Amino acid sequence: MTDQPMPHIRPGPRLRSAAPGKSLQALLRRLPIETYVIAFTVALWVALAVTTPNFLTEGNISNLMRQTPVAAIVAIGVMCTIVIGGIDLSVGSVVAFCGVAFAQMCGHGLGLAPAALLTLAAGAGVGLVNAAAVARLGIPPFIVTLAGLQVYRGLALLLSGGMTIGGLPAEVKEFARGTTGLPNLFWAMVAVGIAVHYLLRFTRTGRYMYAMGSNAEAARRQGINTPRITLIAYVLSSGLAALAGILLVSRLSIASPSMANAYELQAIAAAVVGGASLFGGRGTVLGTVVGAVLFTTMSNAAVLLSIDPFWEMVLEGLLIALVVYLDNLQKRRQAGS
């Protein structure tokens, strides 16, 4: 048997393993902006726990659980309008108007349940007016709700005579002060969050809201009833603002026409920092709640560390600008990859 030469085999291309640094960068690019906000919030909590002995006390945590829900509920409602590509600048005034109306009804002998139902109906009515102006009259939502910001603050002043309303029945105060393992206000936020999350993620209406926010004209051509979706979003926003007004009055035990001042800006900030896009088509309940928790924590930290509240406003504004910048940068990188 003669020896035959072995056939020549060309080596195949070498499989290159991705560099760890590039793999990490690719992973970070895919992470939603909510992940960064959650990480920053956790880091802030850890830093405050280390530097401030009063931060993790039972009283302070309980206080945070009573402060955050009102802001979070308002922000969840605003997020619904942002998802469809709209905006609601009237929510702070709606909180004040509905809170004053609720307090007036309770103070004049109307029962807690009927007063709450009528207040929620008033909030839904505000949403109907906003939606009709946007969807039927074609007025930009910024203008409609900016006008509402003035109108409903003025109505709150008229209803109260410009005075703080006190002397409310004990049952009004009991809900906010009560606990069921955790403060009742916290459970109210959880209930609202679960309901709106289910609507957005697991119903046809929720899918239509995201579709409308991504491209309203395409959604209309696909047969989506965009005026109906607009109505749902704005009724949710104003209805939840009315609920927040009831809860705020319960927590403060008074109603003032000046309460909830600048809540609309805080709500929009919480939604945007939590991952909602001001161009529509994106936003989550979890991200919005985390955004509200972050801003409440920053306010709480400013008190505990004796930081000038004006600096707190500056830091909050810079944080919003940074998050929006990072989100846009992430989208540009993803588009280029």
Side-chain angles (χ1 to χ4, degrees):
M1 185 175 179
T2 60
D3 293 334
Q4 295 183 358
M6 295 291 292
H8 179 68
I9 301 176
R10 295 182 62 187
R14 293 184 180 181
L15 297 177
R16 295 182 180 179
S17 58
K22 292 184 177 180
S23 299
L24 180 60
Q25 288 178 4
L27 174 63
L28 292 175
R29 261 184 274 178
R30 289 194 297 268
L31 289 175
I33 196 67
E34 297 95 310
T35 308
Y36 298 104
V37 178
I38 291 172
F40 181 78
T41 304
V42 171
L44 180 60
W45 274 59
V46 171
L48 289 172
V50 171
T51 58
T52 311
N54 295 328
F55 180 71
L56 284 183
T57 59
E58 181 180 350
N60 192 57
I61 297 300
S62 178
N63 186 40
L64 283 171
M65 285 188 172
R66 286 180 168 87
Q67 286 181 347
T68 304
V70 174
I73 288 171
V74 176
I76 290 170
V78 171
M79 184 267 297
C80 291
T81 65
I82 292 175
V83 162
I84 68 166
I87 199 73
D88 192 348
L89 298 175
S90 66
V91 286
S93 297
V94 173
V95 170
F97 165 60
C98 289
V100 166
F102 173 71
Q104 288 281 36
M105 286 187 282
C106 291
H108 285 81
L110 190 63
L112 182 61
L117 289 174
L118 287 173
T119 302
L120 292 174
V126 170
L128 284 170
V129 172
N130 288 342
V134 172
R136 299 298 182 186
L137 302 181
I139 304 174
F142 180 89
I143 300 300
V144 171
T145 57
L146 181 62
L149 182 149
Q150 288 291 93
V151 169
Y152 300 114
R153 184 69 67 178
L155 288 175
L157 288 163
L158 287 170
L159 276 176
S160 64
M163 304 294 289
T164 298
I165 303 169
L168 300 177
E171 59 182 358
V172 173
K173 312 169 189 177
E174 286 172 359
F175 179 80
R177 296 177 182 178
T179 59
T180 310
L182 295 172
N184 291 339
L185 289 176
F186 176 83
W187 292 120
M189 178 186 70
V190 170
V192 168
I194 290 173
V196 176
H197 174 76
Y198 180 84
L199 171 72
L200 292 176
R201 293 297 179 184
F202 300 105
T203 69
R204 184 178 298 176
T205 297
R207 291 192 293 272
Y208 287 171
M209 289 172 72
Y210 284 108
M212 182 178 169
S214 297
N215 191 322
E217 184 58 32
R220 194 177 297 111
R221 290 180 179 180
Q222 290 295 321
I224 295 175
N225 188 343
T226 53
R228 175 179 171 272
I229 299 302
T230 302
L231 174 68
I232 291 171
Y234 280 94
V235 167
L236 273 173
S237 181
S238 295
L240 290 179
L243 174 61
I246 295 170
L247 298 178
L248 186 59
V249 169
S250 177
R251 184 171 74 85
L252 299 176
S253 302
I254 59 170
S256 169
S258 62
M259 68 183 186
N261 188 35
Y263 264 39
E264 57 279 345
L265 300 180
Q266 295 175 15
I268 294 168
V272 171
V273 166
S277 171
L278 287 174
F279 297 102
R282 197 175 78 245
T284 65
V285 170
L286 176 61
T288 301
V289 171
V290 171
V293 170
L294 175 58
F295 284 115
T296 305
T297 302
M298 290 175 68
S299 298
N300 183 256
V303 173
L304 294 176
L305 298 173
S306 300
I307 297 174
D308 192 320
F310 298 138
W311 278 112
E312 178 196 343
M313 295 171 64
V314 171
L315 291 174
E316 287 179 357
L318 290 174
L319 176 63
I320 295 168
L322 175 62
V323 168
V324 173
Y325 168 74
L326 291 175
D327 186 39
N328 289 334
L329 184 63
Q330 185 185 58
K331 285 189 289 187
R332 287 200 300 269
R333 286 177 174 174
Q334 287 175 344
S337 60

